[in-house]
């Protein structure tokens, strides 16, 4: 019948058999219609499409056949140029036509994310009085959700007639939620005449996932009073949103409701309950619920492992992993990640290697989601070589994989290699992330590379890859260690809500630059702002007190740490206080503190006392302290140097000679003194007595020009860390001229214009008194600001004075 009607309307074929053969050739059958691009290509006008759809609408096909037509249609085969526009007037019809083909094309456009073309096609369908099927609207709304196209979604909503099907209203509701328009979603929900359980699930889940937990709980309470029984999906969404201990009580109440509702057999819901207890810090309840579960999946097991990791129960995390293996639970990439994290925390290299072997056995080591945790494990174990080998196996390393390798190089001090790899990643246009930049900031801190650090900072800003708080705190430290305290404070000021790490970084920056008053003022502001202090914060506070001789302040903070600030003092804090006493010459007080500490003194405790004795020439106590240091750490070359100086300053030259001989017998070598300065983005390095720099003659000429004379007395000859391998001779004063920082300062003077930034020099060892006096002299006679960072702190020389006040 359909074929005959088509033949009559088009008048193209002489008999029915010819028409049938043509339809079969084009892919049409009597039980349905198949559409291909060739067929559509032959449809040149609206009249042709209109006639075919009129036939389809009049054909007496069962409803199930019509559905099969829609499902079997290959939507992607319909080209986007198909249009309802025509030069011929459409057939007149006062009733809307069904338009199966047009609806198929509309669905095709939606599946191809072509919402603009779909909108134009809808307008043509309206003009031709062709009805849009509810399923077409459903597909269009789903595309709006996927593309977050709120404007087009509202257009679709506006097209719906009164009393649209309930499933379609839910689609609109879901679209508003997915597009983040909760006001529109709530308005629609409140106006719905016939809400279904699905309606409640959609909006409650959206509120919970969007962080609007109060709104979600409000609707949850309302559904309890409605005719509907709450759904497991609602409980899962709500429980997932309970993220800390403040939600524990309501989480417990909801768990009771889950039990009362008879949902205890739902493995996903039981897992959500366990996860809720884990995030709320109640691991015991999570373990109880886990044991009662009849069915467990990989997510259930890893949830418990995560809980153990958070509670620092790393051994128990490994027990759960072994339980997974015994139960033959299928492992996913997250299992490897959390297991290797536990192994790294326990320093359990053996188990970690076995987990690595399991990944190899399963053929997963080349997958980036498994290979990356393996790399991270070896990095945390300090085995960068094994990490590199594991990295090479990864077929397609991602930004996290590269981050792990960069972190590894940074940890072992391979700073130049770390920067080289980072530059290579940038040149290859490989995806970068915030962690990479944070690692680079840390490298530049250790390397004191202000030039590259500031470039990386600018690049991170341009790419929006400055990690909030962690990256910003790393930048504070980087600029401070590069000698640019002004830049460090600018970064600190730019942070919206600085946390403990950021405040501590800024306090430490002021402390190491010798600005004790600013450091302590900032600490007081931190405390007044209710920012929690930690052990590292107090190390920075004590450092500030030590560098400025603030004995009373240091003592006050040590006594009030636990009572006022809730931080229990450790051996590090007591050692800081011993150093404060020793530098100030209060050696008996330092010894009393050592003897009264709640734990045994370590090598640093006695070395701090020894340093004070060397400064204040207390021979007997210093000798006793040196014996204690060498008893605990016989390889500490700095202790031998301090003991040598103590003997030399006390006139005990035989004892001093024995110390030197002992150092030689034990083959103790201190790293060679090295200073470096960056000029025009190039780093220039100098060692003691360096004669290899291209501008050596000009450097030594500048030193002679400065005419600096030592003010020490003849019997003040002491051994500095630069002079470990040197023999003290009568030419001592001439030798002092070639200490590495002097060469670097002289090079800065001849290479940098007076109008440029301060001359900033870095040294790997502690500056000696003679070079310290040299810095003051140069700043006075040249009018230049000189900044020297040695292994202890920063010295800012200006107009013949040093920021340390000669107290370092």
């Amino acid at each position: 019948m359909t074929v005959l009607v088509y033949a009559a309307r088009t008048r193209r074929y002489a008999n029915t058999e010819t028409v049938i053969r043509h339809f079969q050739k084009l892919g049409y059958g009597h039980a349905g219609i198949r559409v291909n691009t060739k067929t559509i290509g032959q449809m040149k006008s609206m009249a042709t499409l209109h006639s075919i759809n009129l036939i389809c609408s009049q054909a007496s096909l069962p409803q199930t056949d019509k559905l099969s037509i829609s499902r079997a249609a290959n939507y992607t085969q319909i080209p986007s140029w198909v249009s309802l526009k025509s030069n011929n007037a459409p057939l007149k019809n006062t009733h809307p036509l069904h338009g199966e083909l047009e609806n198929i094309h509309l669905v095709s456009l939606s599946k191809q994310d072509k919402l603009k073309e779909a909108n134009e096609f809808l307008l043509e369908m309206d003009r031709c009085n062709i009805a849009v099927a509810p399923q077409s609207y459903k597909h269009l709304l789903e595309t709006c959700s996927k593309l977050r196209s709120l404007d087009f979604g509202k257009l679709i909503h506006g097209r719906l007639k009164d009393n649209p099907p309930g499933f379609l209203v839910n689609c609109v509701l879901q679209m508003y939620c997915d597009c983040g328009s909760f006001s529109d979603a709530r308005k629609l929900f409140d106006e719905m005449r016939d809400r279904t359980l699905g309606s409640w699930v959609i909006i409650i889940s959206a509120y919970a996932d969007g962080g609007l937990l109060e709104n979600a709980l409000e609707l949850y309470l309302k559904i309890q009073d409605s005719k509907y029984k709450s759904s497991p999906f609602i409980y899962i969404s709500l429980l997932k949103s309970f993220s800390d201990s403040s939600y524990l009580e309501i989480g417990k109440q909801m768990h009771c409701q889950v039990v009362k509702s008879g949902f205890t057999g739902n493995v996903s819901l039981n897992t959500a309950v366990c996860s809720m207890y884990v995030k709320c810090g109640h691991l015991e309840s999570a373990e109880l619920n886990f044991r009662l579960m009849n069915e467990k999946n990989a997510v259930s097991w890893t949830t418990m492992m995560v809980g153990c990791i958070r509670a620092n129960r790393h051994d128990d995390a490994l027990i759960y992993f072994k339980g997974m293996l015994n139960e033959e639970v299928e492992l996913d990439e997250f299992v490897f990640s959390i297991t290797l994290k536990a192994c790294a925390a326990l320093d359990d290299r053996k188990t970690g290697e076995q987990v690595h072997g399991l990944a190899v056995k399963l053929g997963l080591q080349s997958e980036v989601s498994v290979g990356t945790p393996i790399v991270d494990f070896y990095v945390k174990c300090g085995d960068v070589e094994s990490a590199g080998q594991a990295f090479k196996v990864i077929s397609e390393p991602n930004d996290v994989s590269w981050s792990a390798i960069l972190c590894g190089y940074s940890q072992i001090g391979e700073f130049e290699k770390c920067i080289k790899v980072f530059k290579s990643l940038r040149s290859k246009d490989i995806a970068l992330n915030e962690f990479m930049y944070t690692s680079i900031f840390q490298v530049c801190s250790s390397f004191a590379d202000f030039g590259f650090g500031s470039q990386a900072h600018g690049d991170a800003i341009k790419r929006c890859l400055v990690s909030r708080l962690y990256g910003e705190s790393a930048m504070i430290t980087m600029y401070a260690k590069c000698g640019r305290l002004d830049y460090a404070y600018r970064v600190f000021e730019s942070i919206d809500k600085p946390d403990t790490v950021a405040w501590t970084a800024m306090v430490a920056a002021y402390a190491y630059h010798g600005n004790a008053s600013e450091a302590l003022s900032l600490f007081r502001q931190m405390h007044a702002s209710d920012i929690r202090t930690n052990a590292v914060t107090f190390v920075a506070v004590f450092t500030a007190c030590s560098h400025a001789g603030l004995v009373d302040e240091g003592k006050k903070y040590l006594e009030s740490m636990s009572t006022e600030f809730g931080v229990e003092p450790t051996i590090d804090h007591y050692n800081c206080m011993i150093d404060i006493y020793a530098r100030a010459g209060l050696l008996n007080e330092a010894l009393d503190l050592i003897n009264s500490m709640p734990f045994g003194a370590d090598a640093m405790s006695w070395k701090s006392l020894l340093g004070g004795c060397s400064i204040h020439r207390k021979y007997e106590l210093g000798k006793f302290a040196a014996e204690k240091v060498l008893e605990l750490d016989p390889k500490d070359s700095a202790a031998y140097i301090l003991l040598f100086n103590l003997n030399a300053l006390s006139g005990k030259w035989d004892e001093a000679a024995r110390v030197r001989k002992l150092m030689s017998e034990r083959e103790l070598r201190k790293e060679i003194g090295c200073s470096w300065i960056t000029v025009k983005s190039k780093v220039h390095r100098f060692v003691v007595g360096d004669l290899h720099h291209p501008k050596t003659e000009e450097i030594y000429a500048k030193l002679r020009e400065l005419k600096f004379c030592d003010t020490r007395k003849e019997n003040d000859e002491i051994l500095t860390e630069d002079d470990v391998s040197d023999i003290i001779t009568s030419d001592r004063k001439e030798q002092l001229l070639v200490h590495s920082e002097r060469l670097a300062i002289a090079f800065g003077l001849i290479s940098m214009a007076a109008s440029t930034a301060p001359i900033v020099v870095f040294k790997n060892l502690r500056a000696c008194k003679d070079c310290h006096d040299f810095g003051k002299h140069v700043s006075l006679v040249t009018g230049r600001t000189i900044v020297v960072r040695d292994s202890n702190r920063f010295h800012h020389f200006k107009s013949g004075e040093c920021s340390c006040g000669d107290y370092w």
Side-chain angles (χ1 to χ4, degrees):
M1 178 61 185
T2 302
V3 174
L4 293 176
V5 173
Y6 180 78
R9 289 183 181 275
T10 59
R11 298 178 181 177
R12 291 180 58 189
Y13 301 103
N15 56 60
T16 304
E17 291 182 0
T18 306
V19 176
I20 292 174
R21 282 198 301 272
H22 180 72
F23 264 63
Q24 289 174 341
K25 187 182 295 184
L26 294 178
Y28 289 77
H30 70 281
I33 298 177
R34 295 186 179 87
V35 182
N36 56 35
T37 52
K38 181 178 179 183
T39 307
I40 295 176
Q42 296 171 351
M43 298 175 182
K44 300 297 186 181
S45 68
M46 177 63 201
T48 306
L49 282 171
H50 193 69
S51 298
I52 291 175
N53 282 296
L54 183 61
I55 296 167
C56 293
S57 65
Q58 293 172 349
S60 56
L61 292 176
Q63 185 65 25
T64 54
D65 288 344
K66 292 182 180 180
L67 288 174
S68 66
I69 291 170
S70 177
R71 290 171 181 167
N74 187 357
Y75 302 126
T76 59
Q77 294 298 315
I78 303 177
S80 60
W81 51 258
V82 171
S83 174
L84 294 179
K85 295 180 180 179
S86 171
N87 294 326
N88 301 322
L91 297 179
K92 300 293 183 181
N93 196 312
T94 56
H95 299 288
L97 302 177
H98 292 294
E100 276 84 353
L101 185 59
E102 286 82 358
N103 278 282
I104 288 172
H105 180 54
L106 195 57
V107 172
S108 173
L109 291 174
S110 69
K111 285 182 175 290
Q112 297 176 66
D113 299 339
K114 297 179 178 179
L115 293 180
K116 182 179 179 182
E117 294 184 40
N119 186 39
E120 294 173 354
F121 199 77
L122 281 170
L123 295 175
E124 286 298 325
M125 290 177 71
D126 290 345
R127 189 175 69 84
C128 299
N129 202 26
I130 298 174
V132 180
Q135 285 294 331
S136 299
Y137 281 131
K138 176 178 179 291
H139 284 286
L140 288 169
L141 287 166
E142 288 173 349
T143 304
C144 292
S145 291
K146 182 175 72 171
L147 301 180
R148 303 294 188 266
S149 179
L150 179 61
D151 291 338
F152 191 67
K154 286 185 174 182
L155 287 176
I156 299 297
H157 184 196
R159 292 178 58 89
L160 300 182
K161 299 178 181 179
D162 293 336
N163 297 322
F167 80 91
L168 204 52
V169 180
N170 282 341
C171 286
V172 176
L173 183 65
Q174 184 70 63
M175 180 273 298
Y176 280 132
C177 291
D178 290 338
C179 292
S181 183
F182 292 108
S183 58
D184 288 316
R186 185 57 184 268
K187 183 175 183 294
L188 175 62
F189 179 80
D190 291 339
E191 293 173 353
M192 289 174 67
R193 298 176 183 175
D194 298 311
R195 296 173 187 151
T196 63
L197 180 58
S199 310
W200 290 90
V201 171
I202 289 170
I203 193 164
I204 292 176
S205 299
Y207 273 141
D209 294 340
L212 303 174
L213 198 51
E214 290 185 6
N215 303 78
L217 291 172
E218 171 207 342
L219 291 180
Y220 167 75
L221 295 175
K222 286 185 177 180
I223 199 176
Q224 303 303 314
D225 299 328
S226 71
K227 61 181 179 180
Y228 298 107
K229 184 180 180 182
S230 191
S231 164
F233 297 107
I234 292 177
Y235 285 115
I236 291 172
S237 297
L238 289 170
L239 290 167
K240 278 167 47 180
S241 303
F242 298 159
S243 55
D244 56 57
S245 58
S246 63
Y247 296 104
L248 180 59
E249 287 306 315
I250 191 171
K252 287 180 177 180
Q253 294 175 31
M254 196 160 289
H255 184 194
C256 292
Q257 289 297 322
V258 169
V259 175
K260 289 180 181 179
S261 301
F263 295 142
T264 54
N266 187 308
V267 62
S268 298
L269 184 49
N270 283 330
T271 301
V273 171
C274 289
S275 178
M276 178 273 295
Y277 281 123
V278 164
K279 287 186 287 189
C280 292
H282 210 267
L283 187 57
E284 294 77 9
S285 296
E287 289 176 317
L288 177 61
N289 189 70
F290 181 81
R291 286 194 295 268
L292 294 175
M293 290 172 62
N294 294 324
E295 181 184 355
K296 304 178 180 72
N297 56 21
V299 180
S300 311
W301 287 92
T302 51
T303 296
M304 298 310 303
M305 292 176 66
V306 169
C308 292
I309 294 292
R310 289 186 175 184
N312 290 321
R313 290 169 45 182
H314 300 97
D315 287 314
D316 291 333
L318 295 183
I319 291 173
Y320 278 109
F321 175 69
K322 292 173 184 176
M324 290 185 72
L325 298 179
N326 293 334
E327 296 291 332
E328 298 183 351
V329 178
E330 184 176 356
L331 305 179
D332 59 18
E333 65 274 10
F334 189 61
V335 173
F336 285 98
S337 177
I338 198 69
T339 304
L340 290 166
K341 185 178 292 186
C343 293
L346 293 169
D347 198 18
D348 190 346
R349 178 70 178 265
K350 182 178 179 181
T351 302
E353 289 176 339
Q354 290 175 345
V355 175
H356 182 187
L358 179 60
V360 173
K361 181 179 179 181
L362 296 175
L364 298 174
Q365 78 279 13
S366 62
E367 296 291 332
V368 66
S369 55
V370 176
T372 300
I374 295 172
V375 172
D376 186 58
F377 162 72
Y378 284 118
V379 166
K380 288 175 178 175
C381 289
D383 187 355
V384 180
E385 182 179 351
S386 295
Q389 292 173 353
F391 179 84
K392 292 177 183 177
V393 178
I394 302 175
S395 57
E396 294 182 6
N398 59 15
D399 58 324
V400 182
S401 315
W402 285 106
S403 294
I405 282 294
L406 287 174
C407 181
Y409 288 141
S410 174
Q411 285 181 2
I412 64 173
E414 291 280 359
F415 303 134
E416 292 183 345
K417 193 168 185 178
C418 186
I419 291 176
K420 183 179 179 181
V421 170
F422 178 75
K423 288 180 177 178
S424 174
L425 292 176
R426 287 182 60 196
S427 65
K428 294 177 182 177
D429 201 27
I430 293 174
L432 305 176
N433 62 30
E434 296 174 348
F435 302 105
M436 291 182 184
Y437 281 98
T438 300
S439 293
I440 291 301
F441 297 147
Q442 292 168 344
V443 166
C444 291
S445 294
S446 303
F447 211 45
D449 192 340
F450 171 75
F452 188 74
S454 58
Q455 289 176 21
H457 180 189
D459 195 46
I461 292 174
K462 185 172 69 175
R463 297 172 184 259
C464 297
L465 291 177
V466 177
S467 173
R468 185 178 177 273
L469 296 181
Y470 288 107
E472 292 165 333
S473 298
M475 280 194 291
I476 292 172
T477 302
M478 176 190 74
Y479 283 124
K481 288 191 174 183
C482 288
R484 299 307 302 265
L485 192 59
D486 52 342
Y487 277 46
Y489 190 69
R490 285 184 201 173
V491 174
F492 178 75
E493 280 190 313
S494 70
I495 303 175
D496 184 29
K497 293 181 179 179
D499 66 348
T500 300
V501 179
W503 279 93
T504 299
M506 199 63 235
V507 172
Y510 278 124
Y512 284 106
H513 278 265
N515 199 332
S517 60
E518 286 293 335
L520 297 181
S521 174
L522 199 65
F523 174 73
R524 287 189 288 269
Q525 291 178 44
M526 177 182 179
H527 183 53
S529 301
D530 292 327
I531 304 297
R532 184 178 179 84
T533 56
N534 59 24
V536 181
T537 310
F538 277 97
V539 169
V541 169
F542 289 128
T543 299
C545 295
S546 177
H547 288 169
L550 304 177
V551 178
D552 292 338
E553 286 84 349
K555 184 178 179 181
K556 179 188 71 173
Y557 284 123
L558 181 65
E559 292 172 348
S560 63
M561 274 182 66
S562 57
T563 56
E564 186 176 349
F565 299 94
V567 180
E568 289 298 325
T570 66
I571 184 68
D572 293 327
H573 301 112
Y574 278 95
N575 285 344
C576 288
M577 192 62 221
I578 293 168
D579 184 64
I580 292 172
Y581 279 136
R583 285 176 183 273
L586 302 174
L587 302 176
N588 291 329
E589 287 83 346
L591 181 61
D592 290 342
L593 184 59
I594 290 175
N595 293 327
S596 63
M597 288 193 302
F599 16 65
D602 61 7
M604 183 56 69
S605 309
W606 293 108
K607 189 158 66 172
S608 296
L609 178 59
L610 173 59
C613 293
S614 180
I615 293 171
H616 298 284
R617 305 187 184 189
K618 298 293 182 180
Y619 178 74
E620 292 300 331
L621 182 56
K623 184 178 179 181
F624 173 71
E627 291 173 355
K628 291 291 186 180
V629 174
L630 297 178
E631 181 182 317
L632 294 168
D633 187 1
K635 296 288 187 180
D636 190 340
S637 58
Y640 288 94
I641 294 171
L642 288 171
L643 182 57
F644 176 92
N645 288 337
L646 183 63
N647 284 306
L649 292 171
S650 302
K652 301 183 180 297
W653 294 104
D654 291 338
E655 291 294 327
R658 274 193 284 271
V659 173
R660 288 298 305 273
K661 182 180 179 182
L662 189 59
M663 289 180 67
S664 178
E665 290 173 351
R666 295 182 177 179
E667 298 182 347
L668 294 177
R669 292 286 183 271
K670 189 71 175 177
E671 61 179 316
I672 297 175
C674 175
S675 297
W676 61 97
I677 182 173
T678 302
V679 176
K680 296 180 180 178
S681 301
K682 184 178 179 181
V683 178
H684 298 262
R685 294 181 176 83
F686 300 89
V687 296
V688 179
D690 203 322
L691 296 173
H692 297 91
H693 194 276
K695 293 191 175 183
T696 294
E697 291 186 7
E698 296 173 62
I699 291 171
Y700 280 89
K702 173 58 74 173
L703 289 173
R704 288 191 293 271
E705 177 189 323
L706 291 170
K707 297 179 181 179
F708 175 68
C709 298
D710 297 323
T711 57
R712 295 184 312 164
K713 298 178 182 179
E714 289 295 327
N715 62 354
D716 279 353
E717 302 281 359
I718 64 170
L719 184 66
T720 70
E721 293 187 55
D722 276 316
D723 306 320
V724 172
S725 58
D726 299 322
I727 299 174
I728 296 180
T729 67
S730 58
D731 297 328
R732 171 74 171 135
K733 292 181 181 178
E734 183 178 348
Q735 176 198 354
L736 288 171
L737 287 175
V738 295
H739 275 190
S740 59
E741 61 263 53
R742 297 192 184 199
L743 297 173
I745 290 172
F747 177 71
L749 290 171
I750 65 175
S751 304
M752 301 173 65
S755 58
T756 60
I759 295 173
V760 183
V761 173
F762 302 90
K763 185 177 182 181
N764 62 332
L765 302 177
R766 185 174 181 269
C768 68
K769 183 180 184 301
D770 300 290
C771 290
H772 189 266
D773 291 340
F774 176 78
K776 293 195 295 182
H777 173 73
V778 170
S779 70
L780 179 63
V781 299
T782 65
R784 303 287 296 271
T785 298
I786 312 293
V787 179
V788 176
R789 192 198 84 177
D790 65 8
S791 60
N792 278 15
R793 59 171 295 166
F794 276 91
H795 299 269
H796 294 255
F797 301 103
K798 189 173 183 179
S799 302
E801 301 292 334
C802 180
S803 58
C804 72
D806 295 337
Y807 190 91
W808 89 101

